[in-house]
Amino acid sequence: MSRPRAEPAPRRELPPSAGLPLRWSDFAGSRAPSLSERLATLVGVSADRLILTCSGTAALVIALSAMKQRSRHRREVIVPAYTCPLVALAVAHCGLQLRVCDVRPGHFEFDPASLRGLCGPRTLAIVATHLGGRLADMDAPIRCARGVGAWVIEDAAQALGARHANGAAAGTLGDVGIFSLAAGKGLSIYEGGAAVTRDGAMARRLQAAAQELLPRDRWWESRRVLELIGYGLFYRPSRLRWVYGDGVRRALGRGDPAAAAQDVFSPRIPLHRVGRWRQAIGARASLRLPEFLQASRRRALMRSSQMRGIEGVQVLGDRPNEHGTWPVLMLQLSDPAAREQALKRLWGAGLGISPMFAHVLPDYRYLGDAVAPARIPNARDFCARLLCIGNSQWLDDAAFARIVEALQAVLPRGAGGARIS
Ligand SMILES: *Cc1c(COP(=O)(O)O)cnc(C)c1O
């Protein structure tokens, strides 16, 4: 995947997803509401059922630890084969065994038959994952888990504010739901997260696990405070290249797509309490989240309809009655070669294009023993045909036109499949 970098770095750098931009008033406003309470209100649970954490990964560690304590003989955690590598690191951190499951053709949600095949008496939890604001089916994982006495974790790290077809908030259908407040994932305190549950007993277990596993840590919190200030300063097209785009281009230049997709993480997961100042910043910004999500949705629906005419591009959307969020537009291109060509032209071009995650889980070499090889043809195909467009407020008509033009140039035309290069 080496990429000749003859072109100069772009003047404007668009983000790969729509993060809620911070304002100066977020940093120094008057009395702030509580972030936990704000998040609980957003997802419709009472405040004692939500545990604020220092990351989505930490929320997953808390959830798995609470579940592990209740079901000591169960050691396996089933996750979709195409998901964030941090999920694999969280499972390894808890001393549990990862089982990667294939997905439905052309989607990221579990293939029900594969899932049934993996579920058994050793299954501790099934992690069902929403990606890019699009909702995954929860029926199959819930049914499989109930059938074998396992738990369901709903990974809504990329779907805070989304609603299922039955009206339930994403994150509230599983036994535990997790959210991420990382940079770029909608509402952000640079690194943060939450675990939610509807069950009182589970809430107490999560609280106890958080008490034990998330100590105060001045060093980590100070570092995150500085990073959050940096996020406030640099999250805009005129400055984003310094903290994001240039790094992507360097990684692409040395042929490292995992680094370019920002998929390479330390196995040492920071676990600490979130300080009051960052909580207050997140709480103030969260007041703008509903309106921000509405605006993202309007933009996404307009861009989706503008892409409907392009042969060989399918935009993943909501199913009837679902109400997802739109940090990115997820495209499935008709074939992997076209996707490679599209990435060559667009990834690192300052237009907010990325593959989301570079690989399926077993293909990250740095994860090593944490992920065993598995037969996952559909996940490989989904990964190889995925292209994401960051749906930020800065994706204007001119930038979008450049993306469409590049897609049209690389896609096979008509039934003959003649390619224009
Ligand atoms: C980002 C992400 C996580 C982890 O969240 P962090 O806050 O970055 O630790 C988990 N699952 C998915 C699907 C994610 O995208």
Side-chain angles (χ1 to χ4, degrees):
M1 267 273 266
S2 73
R3 171 190 165 83
R5 293 301 321 169
E7 317 101 81
R11 221 166 41 80
R12 260 162 58 92
E13 184 80 47
L14 303 187
S17 63
L20 172 68
L22 294 173
R23 291 180 185 166
W24 288 118
S25 53
D26 295 334
F27 287 84
S30 52
R31 241 175 60 82
S34 142
L35 179 56
S36 303
E37 277 174 28
R38 284 287 307 149
L39 291 171
T41 305
L42 282 166
V43 298
V45 299
S46 59
D48 61 331
R49 307 284 159 92
L50 184 139
I51 290 89
L52 189 71
T53 60
C54 58
S55 66
T57 310
L60 195 53
V61 166
I62 299 297
L64 289 171
S65 303
M67 290 168 179
K68 193 169 98 168
Q69 258 186 0
R70 290 280 297 178
S71 320
R72 290 178 188 280
H73 55 290
R74 295 173 178 267
R75 277 291 171 269
E76 296 180 358
V77 180
I78 302 174
V79 309
Y82 187 72
T83 188
C84 180
L86 284 166
V87 172
L89 292 178
V91 172
H93 174 93
C94 294
L96 298 165
Q97 199 188 336
L98 191 79
R99 306 291 306 272
V100 297
C101 182
D102 206 7
V103 296
R104 274 204 310 108
H107 206 276
F108 54 83
E109 68 191 9
F110 287 123
D111 171 57
S114 308
L115 186 58
R116 276 194 300 277
L118 287 174
C119 274
R122 291 180 49 76
T123 308
L124 175 69
I126 300 172
V127 182
T129 307
H130 311 304
L131 284 187
R134 308 275 60 72
L135 293 152
D137 161 62
M138 294 300 295
D139 289 346
I142 288 172
R143 209 170 327 114
C144 280
R146 296 293 171 263
V148 298
W151 309 91
V152 173
I153 297 176
E154 189 175 353
D155 183 344
Q158 300 191 12
L160 175 61
R163 292 200 169 272
H164 287 284
N166 69 358
T172 63
L173 288 186
D175 295 297
V176 176
I178 66 150
F179 298 99
S180 169
L181 304 177
K185 287 195 186 179
L187 176 63
S188 179
I189 52 173
Y190 197 77
E191 289 282 7
V196 298
T197 180
R198 283 162 297 128
D199 181 66
M202 177 58 85
R204 285 188 292 279
R205 278 180 227 126
L206 293 172
Q207 292 284 8
Q211 271 294 326
E212 185 190 330
L213 299 173
L214 305 184
R216 253 182 236 294
D217 185 323
R218 276 245 184 83
W219 190 87
W220 268 113
E221 188 56 26
S222 308
R223 176 172 161 172
R224 293 300 189 229
V225 162
L226 292 177
E227 286 168 331
L228 183 57
I229 293 170
Y231 184 61
L233 279 170
F234 285 93
Y235 194 73
R236 61 196 68 194
S238 56
R239 298 177 186 163
L240 198 57
R241 59 171 289 200
W242 307 112
V243 292
Y244 169 70
D246 288 349
V248 171
R249 284 179 283 278
R250 274 194 302 274
L252 290 174
R254 59 175 193 267
D256 188 346
Q262 306 198 297
D263 285 352
V264 183
F265 302 96
S266 161
R268 304 238 311 270
I269 300 167
L271 293 171
H272 61 101
R273 220 173 289 174
V274 178
R276 295 258 286 277
W277 196 63
R278 281 202 301 143
Q279 288 191 41
I281 291 166
R284 292 189 195 102
S286 76
L287 298 169
R288 299 193 299 279
L289 187 68
E291 195 188 329
F292 171 81
L293 291 177
Q294 275 291 337
S296 309
R297 177 184 184 77
R298 278 196 297 275
R299 276 196 311 273
L301 295 181
M302 178 183 77
R303 295 306 186 202
S304 298
S305 73
Q306 287 170 329
M307 264 183 298
R308 214 155 277 149
I310 310 174
E311 205 169 329
V313 173
Q314 188 215 341
V315 186
L316 269 67
D318 284 341
R319 285 171 283 210
N321 301 320
E322 285 178 351
H323 201 92
T325 56
W326 298 87
V328 294
L329 289 168
M330 296 175 85
L331 315 187
Q332 279 280 282
L333 304 195
S334 53
D335 81 286
R339 204 286 298 245
E340 270 328 289
Q341 290 299 316
L343 281 183
K344 273 228 175 73
R345 286 168 183 251
L346 294 171
W347 198 5
L351 295 168
I353 299 294
S354 76
M356 187 170 297
F357 308 119
H359 304 302
V360 289
L361 287 183
D363 289 0
Y364 289 98
R365 255 186 285 154
Y366 81 94
L367 289 177
D369 294 343
V371 189
R375 227 188 75 77
I376 45 168
N378 294 341
R380 287 188 185 286
D381 176 67
F382 180 80
C383 173
R385 295 191 295 114
L386 182 65
L387 190 82
C388 291
I389 305 177
N391 180 38
S392 76
Q393 66 203 67
W394 299 297
L395 179 70
D396 55 18
D397 288 341
F400 187 69
R402 285 178 58 199
I403 295 168
V404 168
E405 190 185 326
L407 288 177
Q408 279 171 330
V410 302
L411 282 161
R413 288 271 167 102
R419 202 156 299 154
I420 300 165
S421 57

